[in-house]
Amino acid sequence: MKKMLKIVCALLLAVWLIPMEGVQAASFKDVSKDNTLITEIDYLVEKGIINGYPNNLFKPNTYVTRAQVAVMLTRALGLQTTNVKDPKYQDVPTTHPYYKEIAAVQNTGIFDSAQKFNPNAPLSRGDMAIVLQRAFKLKGSETSYFTDVSAKTRGYKEISAISSNNITRGYDDGSFKPNLPLTRAHFSAFLARALTLSNPNLLKDKAYDYTYSHYSLKDKKHYTLKYKYSHYDDKNDVWAISDLNSNKVFNSELLFSDGDVFGQGVARDYDLFYDLAFELPLRIGVIQHEDDGGIISGVRLTVKATDGTVRAGGIDYNNVIVLEEKSVNSDGVSTYYFVDGIGLVKELYNDVVVYELLERTAK
C-alpha cells in the first residue's frame, strides 16, 4: 500500500511538472485576470519553470512541496543535474523521480544537509525566505519590522533580506507568518520576484538634453519637447521643459531618487506630490495596490517586466522596466518604459503613445 501511495504521489508530481501541450500564460480557469499574482505566475509559465494541471487548472491554493520547490529552483537557476553528489537523504533514494534536482539544490547549498529531506512536505514561508536568500544571494537590511519575527526566529536574517528587497510585504496586520505553509501561487510569486529583481537608475542623465515627442490628451495636439537639466532644489532634479514649435509653457519636471524610492512629478504652485512614485528595488508584480493608503491611493501599479524591450525614436532598447498604472477612477491604463541610466523612453495611455524619446544630445 505504501509503495502504491508513493507511485501515485510521484505521478501527481510529474503531471504538475511536465510541460503540457497548449498551456499558455493566463489561460488557467482557476486564476482570474484580476488575480494580484497573475504577472508572476505568467512569468514562470512562460519561462517553463512551472506548469499547470489537466483541464487548464493551476491549483493556486494547493500547498507547494519541498520536492516541487527543488525542481523549480533547478530550472530557474539552470543547475546541472549530471554527476550530482548524493546528499544521502534517507527519504530520497537515487531512484526517486526528482533525486537529481533535490541533490542539485542541496549540493549548491540551498537546502541543508540532514538525515531526511521530506520531499512531500509543504514548504513554510520562513523556509521559503531561507532558500530564496541562498539561491539568489540576496543582501539587505538585517532588521525585521514584522510583528511575529524576532532575532530568535529561524530565518530571521533571510526574512529581513527578502523584505528589504520588496519580495514580500507580509500581511496587513504587520505579520509575516513564518510557519504558514506556502501555496503554489505564493511560491510562484516569490520565485518570480527574486528572478526579476532589479535596482535601476531611473533618473534622466543630467549630462544630456532630452527631446521627446508628446501627444497631449488634454488639447489633442502634438508637441516636440526639449528637456534641459535646470538645478537641484535640495530634493529633486528639476528639468525645464520647452516646446520647440510653439510658445506653449510646460511646467518643469521634478525627479527624485535616493536608491530606495523613485518619484516623478511636475512643478506646481501647491504642495508637491509625485504623479508616479514607488519603492526600489523593483521586481515584477503588483507593487502598489489600489487599497493601499497614502496620497496616491486608488492606484494599482504593476511591474510587468524588468527585462523587457521597446522601440522608441528608432532605437531598440533592452532590459526595459515596464510599469502599468491603473486607477479606480479611470478606465485608462498608463504604461511606462524606463531604461537604466536613461530614464523614461516611452509612455502610453491605452494604445496611444503620449511620450516618446526621440534623441539625447550631450551638453
Side-chain angles (χ1 to χ4, degrees):
M1 181 68 182
K2 289 184 178 179
K3 183 177 181 181
M4 178 62 68
L5 183 60
K6 289 182 179 179
I7 293 173
V8 171
C9 290
L11 288 173
L12 288 174
L13 184 62
V15 168
W16 177 74
L17 291 168
I18 296 173
M20 294 169 53
E21 184 177 355
V23 170
Q24 295 179 351
S27 66
F28 300 113
K29 292 188 293 187
D30 52 356
V31 180
S32 72
K33 293 182 179 180
D34 293 329
N35 190 305
T36 56
L37 305 181
I38 194 168
T39 301
E40 293 97 319
I41 294 172
D42 281 356
Y43 178 84
L44 294 190
V45 171
E46 290 167 358
K47 296 293 184 182
I49 296 171
I50 192 171
N51 303 286
Y53 289 88
N55 299 320
N56 279 343
L57 295 176
F58 184 75
K59 299 186 180 181
N61 298 320
T62 300
Y63 291 145
V64 68
T65 69
R66 291 166 59 86
Q68 292 169 347
V69 168
V71 174
M72 281 195 285
L73 286 174
T74 298
R75 291 176 175 175
L77 299 172
L79 299 181
Q80 293 295 322
T81 56
T82 56
N83 300 320
V84 291
K85 181 181 178 181
D86 188 353
K88 300 188 182 303
Y89 291 124
Q90 294 177 1
D91 52 359
V92 185
T94 56
T95 55
H96 190 281
Y98 299 103
Y99 162 79
K100 291 183 178 180
E101 289 85 353
I102 293 171
V105 293
Q106 189 276 338
N107 293 174
T108 310
I110 297 173
F111 280 93
D112 293 327
S113 298
Q115 288 187 340
K116 293 186 176 182
F117 182 73
N118 299 313
N120 297 322
L123 188 78
S124 70
R125 287 170 58 85
D127 284 341
M128 172 275 298
I130 292 173
V131 299
L132 289 186
Q133 189 280 325
R134 292 175 179 176
F136 296 96
K137 298 178 173 56
L138 299 173
K139 297 180 180 180
S141 170
E142 293 188 0
T143 301
S144 171
Y145 298 99
F146 296 115
T147 57
D148 57 351
V149 176
S150 69
K152 296 180 180 180
T153 303
R154 169 176 158 78
Y156 169 76
K157 292 183 179 180
E158 292 85 352
I159 293 170
S160 301
I162 67 167
S163 174
S164 61
N165 281 285
N166 296 329
I167 292 173
T168 183
R169 59 189 290 176
Y171 289 85
D172 291 339
D173 62 0
S175 66
F176 178 73
K177 305 185 189 306
N179 298 320
L180 190 69
L182 266 179
T183 63
R184 282 166 48 82
H186 283 157
F187 183 75
S188 298
F190 293 133
L191 177 57
R193 293 169 189 173
L195 278 166
T196 59
L197 196 63
S198 177
N199 196 6
N201 173 18
L202 304 181
L203 296 173
K204 288 182 171 63
D205 189 336
K206 293 181 286 189
Y208 291 83
D209 291 338
Y210 287 63
T211 304
Y212 286 91
S213 170
H214 170 51
Y215 175 70
S216 173
L217 296 172
K218 292 183 178 180
D219 61 19
K220 311 300 181 185
K221 293 182 179 180
H222 289 89
Y223 298 91
T224 303
L225 304 181
K226 176 75 76 173
Y227 283 63
K228 296 177 68 71
Y229 176 71
S230 175
H231 63 282
Y232 181 72
D233 68 359
D234 293 329
K235 182 178 182 180
N236 305 286
D237 288 344
V238 181
W239 289 77
I241 305 173
S242 59
D243 178 50
L244 299 182
N245 303 314
S246 73
N247 294 321
K248 183 176 176 61
V249 176
F250 287 85
N251 291 334
S252 296
E253 179 182 62
L254 304 180
L255 298 178
F256 168 80
S257 182
D258 61 0
D260 295 321
V261 175
F262 173 81
Q264 174 180 302
V266 296
R268 298 180 175 94
D269 294 332
Y270 47 89
D271 291 341
L272 168 71
F273 69 90
Y274 297 107
D275 302 302
L276 184 65
F278 45 83
E279 293 183 350
L280 299 170
L282 293 173
R283 44 61 175 184
I284 64 169
V286 176
I287 58 173
Q288 180 179 304
H289 193 272
E290 57 266 28
D291 294 335
D292 293 342
I295 293 176
I296 315 181
S297 60
V299 172
R300 178 179 292 194
L301 190 61
T302 305
V303 179
K304 304 299 288 186
T306 59
D307 59 353
T309 60
V310 71
R311 185 172 180 81
I315 298 175
D316 293 319
Y317 294 97
N318 298 312
N319 299 317
V320 179
I321 305 293
V322 184
L323 293 125
E324 180 184 89
E325 183 181 39
K326 295 181 179 179
S327 172
V328 296
N329 300 314
S330 171
D331 293 331
V333 178
S334 293
T335 307
Y336 303 87
Y337 299 85
F338 287 91
V339 176
D340 186 10
I342 295 178
L344 183 71
V345 298
K346 201 167 192 176
E347 178 183 338
L348 276 65
Y349 185 79
N350 292 337
D351 295 325
V352 178
V353 178
V354 292
Y355 284 97
E356 182 173 5
L357 180 62
L358 299 179
E359 63 175 358
R360 294 192 310 154
T361 54
K363 294 182 178 179

